[in-house]
């Protein structure tokens, strides 16, 4: 059997799956941001016609799945698995969306790293011959996340400048064993990294070391260099975390400053929209990749990206008990070409 692992953390797919369709639906605030023209739909209010914010988030997932399948004239019966998750306890937004389908479901909790995690596992299932077509999905919602992780919205607590704004939205990728790209060619699975940070309002600083660890492993094991990528795009480090990441990578001998960007920086105009450090949440990388980045790849404006979604694996319980914030990052190489080195 051919060895697909290039090192402890990196996989090279022998039969890279294609991303044959994507869809992204976002909330009103995201629809006012710089990427508004790249989303399939912008809902008019955070409740999305539902009774609760949690129901609203689940409906975002249901509608985004339908949108992605309709684009390529597929039905739910054509899909073998759903890989997905969200930020809520027991990932209820995704579980409740999956119950509206007849598709076998793998529920994932990787905090805000879910988009890369789902793409990783979905690609493994296809390359391993266990599926032909799968759905990878991630969602978050500002109001559900604030209620769970921080304070009731009614309190109107002042947010520190290090804080980020949880993205309301859902992003979906449909992967297939057949297609003309963009292809998922490599995956570098992250390790838990915890530098002892306890401030839940400074998530960029908490997650940057995990992103550094995964990016360093990726370039060490894959044989790529930063210049091989048009973009090295992290999930939701936002402005503060991105600065830390660039500095930490330099200490590891990697200069990513020329082609690094972050979904949390791209999705909002921080000054005009008062989002402080930038965006966060599972949907941050979910909608930016499945909207903006996928469009750039399909239009051949770029050829290869490294999507590195980052996640903080804490909970209200662990925070209240004084635990520090363990973090993770998963990296996925997405490329229009299947070059010899891949």
């Amino acid at each position: 059997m051919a060895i697909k692992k290039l090192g402890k953390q990196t996989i090279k797919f022998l039969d890279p799956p294609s991303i044959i369709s994507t869809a992204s639906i976002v909330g009103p605030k995201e629809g006012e941001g710089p990427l508004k023209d790249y989303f399939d739909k912008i809902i008019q209010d955070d409740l999305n016609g539902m009774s609760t914010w949690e129901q609203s988030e689940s409906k975002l997932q249901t509608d985004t799945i339908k949108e992605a399948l309709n684009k390529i004239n597929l039905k739910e019966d054509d899909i073998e698995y759903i890989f997905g998750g969200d930020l809520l306890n027991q990932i209820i937004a995704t579980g409740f969306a999956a119950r509206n389908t007849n598709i076998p479901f793998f529920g994932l909790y990787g905090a805000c790293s879910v988009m890369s995690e789902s793409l990783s596992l979905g690609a493994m299932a296809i390359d391993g011959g266990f599926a032909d077509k799968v759905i990878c999905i991630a969602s978050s919602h500002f109001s559900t996340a604030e209620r769970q992780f921080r304070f009731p919205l009614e309190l109107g607590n002042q947010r520190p400048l290090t804080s980020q704004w949880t993205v309301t939205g859902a992003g979906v990728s449909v992967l297939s064993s057949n297609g003309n790209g963009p292809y998922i060619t490599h995956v570098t699975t992250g390790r838990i990294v915890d530098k002892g940070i306890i401030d839940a309002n400074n998530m960029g600083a908490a997650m940057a070391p995990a992103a550094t660890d995964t990016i360093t492993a990726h370039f060490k094991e894959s044989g790529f260099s930063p210049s091989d990528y048009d973009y090295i795009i992290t999930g939701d480090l936002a402005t503060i975390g991105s600065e830390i990441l660039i500095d930490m990578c330099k200490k590891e001998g990697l200069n990513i400053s020329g082609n690094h960007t972050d979904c949390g920086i791209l999705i909002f105009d921080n000054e005009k929209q008062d989002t402080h450090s930038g965006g966060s949440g599972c949907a941050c990388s979910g909608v930016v990749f499945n909207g903006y980045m996928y469009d750039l790849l399909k239009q051949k404006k770029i050829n290869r990206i490294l999507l590195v979604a980052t996640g903080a694996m804490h909970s209200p319980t662990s925070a209240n008990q004084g635990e520090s914030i363990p973090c993770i990052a998963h990296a996925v190489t997405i490329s229009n070409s299947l070059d010899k080195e891949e």
Side-chain angles (χ1 to χ4, degrees):
M1 183 179 69
I3 300 299
K4 300 179 182 181
K5 290 199 75 176
L6 301 179
K8 186 175 182 180
Q9 294 172 251
T10 303
I11 290 172
K12 172 186 175 182
F13 294 116
L14 299 183
D15 297 301
S18 285
I19 304 174
I20 59 172
S21 180
T22 67
S24 56
I25 299 177
V26 299
K29 191 178 187 75
E30 294 71 19
E32 296 171 352
L35 303 183
K36 59 184 178 182
D37 294 334
Y38 293 93
F39 304 128
D40 293 286
K41 182 180 177 182
I42 300 167
I43 62 174
Q44 297 303 305
D45 66 85
D46 284 345
L47 279 173
N48 197 18
M50 307 302 288
S51 300
T52 68
W53 292 316
E54 288 75 16
Q55 291 173 352
S56 170
E57 184 175 345
S58 189
K59 187 174 188 297
L60 283 170
Q61 288 211 21
T62 297
D63 292 346
T64 309
I65 288 173
K66 290 179 180 178
E67 182 73 22
L69 294 179
N70 287 340
K71 287 181 181 181
I72 48 176
N73 296 316
L74 288 182
K75 298 179 180 179
E76 291 178 357
D77 290 343
D78 297 314
I79 305 298
E80 278 98 343
Y81 298 110
I82 295 173
F83 294 86
D86 55 78
L87 290 175
L88 301 181
N89 290 337
Q90 290 76 51
I91 54 171
I92 57 171
T94 315
F96 289 1
R99 77 179 175 183
N100 295 327
T101 73
N102 290 314
I103 305 171
F105 170 55
F106 286 104
L108 309 177
Y109 190 84
C112 301
S113 72
V114 165
M115 195 67 240
S116 286
E117 182 182 11
S118 63
L119 290 170
S120 299
L121 294 172
M124 289 181 195
I126 291 175
D127 184 71
F130 302 107
D132 178 43
K133 293 181 178 65
V134 304
I135 282 173
C136 304
I137 187 167
S139 74
S140 55
H141 192 295
F142 175 80
S143 298
T144 65
E146 288 297 306
R147 174 154 61 190
Q148 178 166 293
F149 286 101
R150 295 183 181 90
F151 303 100
L153 295 180
E154 295 84 354
L155 288 180
N157 292 70
Q158 185 173 353
R159 302 166 60 243
L161 292 177
T162 56
S163 67
Q164 296 166 238
W165 192 278
T166 303
V167 170
T168 297
V172 171
S173 293
V174 182
L175 310 188
S176 175
S177 60
N178 296 301
N180 299 316
Y183 305 95
I184 296 178
T185 64
H186 297 72
V187 163
T188 301
T189 304
R191 305 180 293 188
I192 292 290
V193 177
D194 187 342
K195 295 298 183 180
I197 292 176
I198 61 173
D199 184 1
N201 284 304
N202 194 3
M203 302 307 299
M207 294 185 291
T212 303
D213 187 76
T214 300
I215 290 171
T216 302
H218 175 78
F219 287 116
K220 179 180 178 180
E221 297 175 352
S222 70
F224 287 122
S225 65
S227 61
D228 291 316
Y229 288 94
D230 296 288
Y231 286 109
I232 298 167
I233 181 167
T234 45
D236 50 354
L237 298 182
T239 56
I240 293 173
S242 292
E243 292 173 2
I244 296 171
L245 171 69
I246 289 171
D247 287 343
M248 293 186 75
C249 283
K250 283 182 179 179
K251 292 179 180 179
E252 297 294 332
L254 292 171
N255 185 357
I256 65 170
S257 60
N259 51 1
H260 170 262
T261 189
D262 185 83
C263 297
I265 294 173
L266 294 174
I267 192 165
F268 294 123
D269 184 319
N270 289 348
E271 292 187 7
K272 291 182 179 179
Q273 295 187 277
D274 191 27
T275 51
H276 293 5
S277 182
S280 66
C282 302
C284 189
S285 56
V287 301
V288 172
F289 169 69
N290 290 297
Y292 177 58
M293 283 290 162
Y294 186 74
D295 184 76
L296 292 182
L297 286 162
K298 291 296 288 184
Q299 297 296 326
K300 310 297 185 185
K301 294 179 180 179
I302 59 175
N303 182 55
R304 184 187 291 122
I305 69 169
L306 186 66
L307 178 66
V308 191
T310 50
M313 305 293 283
H314 70 308
S315 75
T317 300
S318 67
N320 289 333
Q321 292 175 351
E323 287 279 0
S324 55
I325 303 172
C327 297
I328 198 161
H330 303 295
V332 182
T333 298
I334 303 162
S335 177
N336 277 327
S337 61
L338 294 176
D339 300 330
K340 290 182 179 180
E341 69 265 23
E342 294 180 351

